[in-house]
Amino acid sequence: MVNVPEVVLQSVDKRYRTGAAALEGISFEVERGEFVAFLGPSGCGKSTLLRLVSGLSAATSGSVRVNGMTPDNARELMSFIFQDSTLMPWRTVAENVGLSLELEHAAPPLRSERVDRMLNLVGLTHVARRYPRELSGGMKMRVSIARALASRPRILLLDEPFAALDEMTRDRMNEELLRLYEEQKWTVLFVTHSVAEAVFLSTRIVILSSNPGRIAHDVAVDLPWPRTAEIRDSLVFEQTVTGVSRLLRGVMQA
Amino acid sequence: MSRRTWVLINSAVLLLCLLGLWQAVVSLKHLPAYMLPGPTLVAVAIEERFPSLMKSLLITAEEAGGGLLASIIVGMTVAMVFAQWTWLRQLVYPYTILLQTVPIVAVAPLIINWVGPGLIAVSTVTFVICLAPIIANTTQGLISVDDNLIHLFVMHKATPAQILFKLRLPNSLPNLFTGIRISAGISVIGGLTGELFAGSAQVGEGGLGYAITYANNQMETSYMFALVLAATLLGFSFFFIVMFLEWMALHNWHESKRADVGE
Ligand SMILES: Nc1ncnc2c1ncn2[C@@H]1O[C@H](COP(=O)(O)OP(=O)(O)O)[C@@H](O)[C@H]1O
Ligand SMILES: [Mg+2]
């Protein structure tokens, strides 16, 4: 079998009906197992990019392939995690996590077993019967992650998932996400506006410029694995952050 | 003593004072009973005519309740159709607003003309005035769903039916109950108005509205007071039933029903 890259975009343009081009001439490949962070000024098309990959929105021209298929056909492989936890307030934590399995009509025993495992994975077994309004922001985000993982995706698309959290919670969520990533070996496309977060998490950082959104830089992150919280204090981490910040500033000023 | 008991006691004392004042005015001014009967006379009227009062109350409850129930069922169905087909909603929705401005006293005789007098006619009048708030509120709840939740359902290949019943409908529950609360309040008015035109085919068989017309013609003012009281109580009990159902449906999860709010 030929080794197909997990995600391939070729000269993709996206133009919304309402305005100018959101994305122009976007081409890149993501190999299986890569953790790619996307940085760029707000409005440069990062969310649009993820929506194109997920198939929620269609490219105006160019081609998007996920595991060699159209995004529509590759939906089972992907899960999307949004900036807000977007939980359904009328469902308990466990019912929220079980959503995808319920929509697929999975057998109830399988469903509850998988839900239990996901809740255990994100450390929320003790609030399974609670409703979202009773949870803190960080817990809600963990529920959202558990829900995304319940369908056993190979590819995770995350759109500024921790932007609404305080810094400490955010750091902890980053560490948990990495722990799961090293365990599960997904391919991850991660949009953020925090350089430190991008450097800490990813194997590669793509920086977009705006009006229209294009790829300005594509740099590898050479930090050792496994990544622990201590890495944030290391010199090489700081140097990488400084370097990426400089690139990003260049894009912002242009 | 808890704050709530204290409030209850105060309300009861206030009520007694008002009743006392009412009786005093009637006795001291020697007002004739057909002008303003005192509370004791009203009490006597209630006691003497309790069976027919109850009968009227039940008839009106049935008419108003039936119309309200029908408006909830039809209103929800219409709202779900609107949520499913945007173009249809844009086409038809303005006319449902028109429904709200229909002068019911002008339309009631027409309805009775078509349906024939009796329970069905009165329920239909109630149904007509209860429908618009249900449609408007439920539609609002069905269409104001977080875009990302829709995306989530689409990503997991949800069918349109799954999106409607697992996402839009639960999302619309708080709005639906707002609509039902409004409609429950006006359903009694609908029942009374309907009866003014088509209370009953037989004398003495009608609901509260019919009995009010009858008592008015007979100058039985104290019985009229009793009937007004019964109509008010009916509206109140509808309201409480709806509040209770709303609490049952929402208290687990909805922000407005948090147990600790205001404590
Ligand atoms: N659904 C949409 N319809 C029309 N324009 C949109 C839509 N979504 C995004 N845009 C526009 O496309 C551009 C990129 O938006 P977005 O992808 O959300 O940027 P980012 O996530 O990087 O902030 C912006 O100018 C935005 O206004
Ligand atoms: Mg965005």
Side-chain angles (χ1 to χ4, degrees):
Chain A
M1 203 180 94
V2 247
N3 190 15
V4 220
E6 201 74 323
V7 177
V8 182
L9 274 75
Q10 269 168 356
S11 348
V12 167
D13 294 341
K14 175 67 188 183
R15 187 182 296 274
Y16 285 107
R17 246 171 299 160
T18 44
L23 291 172
E24 207 173 83
I26 302 283
S27 298
F28 67 85
E29 291 188 2
V30 180
E31 296 298 331
R32 193 156 182 194
E34 273 192 286
F35 196 126
V36 185
F38 292 87
L39 284 170
S42 120
C44 73
K46 303 181 295 292
S47 299
T48 303
L49 190 64
L50 286 197
R51 279 206 293 275
L52 290 178
V53 173
S54 69
L56 286 171
S57 154
T60 312
S61 65
S63 97
V64 181
R65 283 287 175 277
V66 177
N67 191 34
M69 296 178 277
T70 63
D72 277 341
N73 290 331
R75 278 207 183 130
E76 293 97 296
L77 304 179
M78 299 185 272
S79 269
F80 209 123
I81 299 176
F82 306 95
Q83 173 169 348
D84 303 308
S85 53
T86 53
L87 302 176
M88 288 177 275
W90 56 88
R91 284 174 174 243
T92 63
V93 165
E95 287 164 352
N96 268 290
V97 173
L99 176 74
S100 61
L101 299 157
E102 186 181 322
L103 293 176
E104 290 162 14
H105 302 288
L110 169 77
R111 213 192 291 173
S112 69
E113 184 247 83
R114 184 91 61 86
V115 167
D116 288 347
R117 201 135 44 81
M118 292 307 133
L119 286 175
N120 191 30
L121 209 59
V122 297
L124 286 180
T125 309
H126 61 293
V127 293
R129 307 268 155 258
R130 299 280 193 80
Y131 286 86
R133 72 167 184 200
E134 301 169 79
L135 309 182
S136 68
M139 284 161 108
K140 283 186 199 163
M141 209 59 230
R142 295 222 290 272
V143 178
S144 182
I145 291 174
R147 175 178 65 188
L149 300 185
S151 62
R152 300 215 209 184
R154 269 171 51 177
I155 304 168
L156 280 188
L157 308 170
L158 300 98
D159 192 357
E160 306 197 26
F162 308 133
L165 304 180
D166 62 86
E167 204 176 325
M168 264 170 59
T169 315
R170 178 187 199 148
D171 284 352
R172 218 181 45 245
M173 298 294 297
N174 282 172
E175 288 146 31
E176 282 182 36
L177 183 65
L178 271 197
R179 175 177 62 80
L180 293 171
Y181 165 70
E182 284 170 67
E183 223 172 85
Q184 317 250 334
K185 300 288 170 219
W186 315 294
T187 306
V188 185
L189 276 63
F190 187 100
V191 170
T192 176
H193 56 242
S194 155
V195 174
E197 185 174 58
V199 171
F200 180 69
L201 292 173
S202 63
T203 58
R204 173 182 164 198
I205 295 178
V206 173
I207 297 177
L208 297 168
S209 60
S210 56
N211 296 323
R214 296 171 188 270
I215 295 183
H217 304 280
D218 190 336
V219 293
V221 178
D222 291 318
L223 292 181
W225 292 88
R227 295 201 185 149
T228 54
E230 290 74 49
I231 271 194
R232 290 203 185 89
D233 305 324
S234 69
L235 189 61
V236 55
F237 180 81
E238 251 167 60
Q239 285 168 339
T240 316
V241 169
T242 312
V244 173
S245 298
R246 193 174 299 133
L247 291 178
L248 189 59
R249 255 200 318 280
V251 165
M252 301 271 204
Q253 280 156 2
Chain B
M1 195 172 0
S2 80
R3 212 184 129 65
R4 189 171 294 177
T5 328
W6 185 236
V7 169
L8 275 178
I9 290 176
N10 278 341
S11 309
V13 169
L14 181 66
L15 180 65
L16 283 178
C17 288
L18 285 175
L19 288 175
L21 189 68
W22 175 8
Q23 185 68 55
V25 168
V26 170
S27 306
L28 293 173
K29 292 269 183 180
H30 301 288
L31 288 176
Y34 66 85
M35 285 287 286
L36 180 65
T40 45
L41 270 184
V42 174
V44 169
I46 292 175
E47 211 221 311
E48 275 178 355
R49 315 191 58 164
F50 192 72
S52 51
L53 182 63
M54 275 298 120
K55 200 166 161 193
S56 294
L57 182 65
L58 281 181
I59 290 173
T60 304
E62 217 171 302
E63 292 160 346
L68 177 62
L69 209 62
S71 75
I72 294 171
I73 293 167
V74 174
M76 282 179 72
T77 311
V78 171
M80 286 196 273
V81 170
F82 281 175
Q84 216 63 345
W85 291 288
T86 313
W87 61 270
L88 190 67
R89 178 173 81 239
Q90 285 161 350
L91 195 69
V92 182
Y93 192 78
Y95 297 101
T96 62
I97 304 302
L98 225 68
L99 197 64
Q100 208 147 15
T101 56
V102 162
I104 195 63
V105 278
V107 178
L110 266 179
I111 292 175
I112 287 138
N113 204 6
W114 295 327
V115 183
L119 193 141
I120 304 284
V122 179
S123 287
T124 309
V125 172
T126 309
F127 167 78
V128 170
I129 65 166
C130 288
L131 192 57
I134 307 274
I135 294 181
N137 283 284
T138 313
T139 304
Q140 192 56 42
L142 289 172
I143 63 177
S144 53
V145 174
D146 187 339
D147 273 346
N148 282 339
L149 273 174
I150 303 218
H151 291 159
L152 185 79
F153 272 65
V154 171
M155 285 285 294
H156 291 294
K157 297 188 164 179
T159 62
Q162 282 176 323
I163 292 181
L164 179 61
F165 289 106
K166 288 183 190 288
L167 181 56
R168 292 190 188 277
L169 206 56
N171 187 70
S172 75
L173 274 184
N175 306 70
L176 171 65
F177 274 107
T178 305
I180 297 180
R181 239 185 299 133
I182 296 168
S183 292
I186 58 183
S187 69
V188 176
I189 299 172
L192 295 180
T193 314
E195 281 172 15
L196 294 185
F197 294 96
S200 167
Q202 286 163 282
V203 176
E205 291 287 294
L208 293 174
Y210 181 82
I212 285 171
T213 327
Y214 183 80
N216 190 27
N217 290 338
Q218 303 292 314
M219 300 272 259
E220 290 193 42
T221 314
S222 42
Y223 188 48
M224 265 191 75
F225 267 76
L227 291 163
V228 170
L229 194 66
T232 312
L233 276 179
L234 184 62
F236 233 65
S237 35
F238 274 21
F239 189 75
F240 271 104
I241 292 171
V242 174
M243 290 283 279
F244 175 72
L245 291 176
E246 184 175 1
W247 183 84
M248 291 279 284
L250 305 184
H251 78 280
N252 271 335
W253 60 272
H254 200 253
E255 292 293 347
S256 72
K257 299 290 179 292
R258 276 184 93 112
D260 57 359
V261 163
E263 277 183 19

